[in-house]
Amino acid sequence: MKTWSDKKLKPAEVGATVRVPVPDVDKGRGDARNILAVVIEVTVDGYYRLGT
């Protein structure tokens, strides 16, 4: 999955606002489809720490 996302998605910079989709099983009827988050840091593994 990490390899796929590295090829498909552009890298984000610290401080950038990103949209994170919420899976259908984790939301109610009136909940939002996406959540806006801010990139706080990039770990040494290449993963992002997000804040909402």
Side-chain angles (χ1 to χ4, degrees), residues 17-33:
T17 303
V18 294
R19 185 180 60 181
V20 182
V22 178
D24 289 335
V25 296
D26 291 333
K27 66 179 178 177
R29 290 174 51 130
D31 292 343
R33 293 182 176 200

Side-chain angles (χ1 to χ4, degrees), residues 12-16 18 20 37-52:
E13 298 178 5
V14 173
V18 294
V20 182
V38 176
V39 178
I40 296 174
E41 74 173 299
V42 180
T43 65
V44 293
D45 300 340
Y47 292 100
Y48 296 98
R49 178 157 300 167
L50 303 176
T52 57

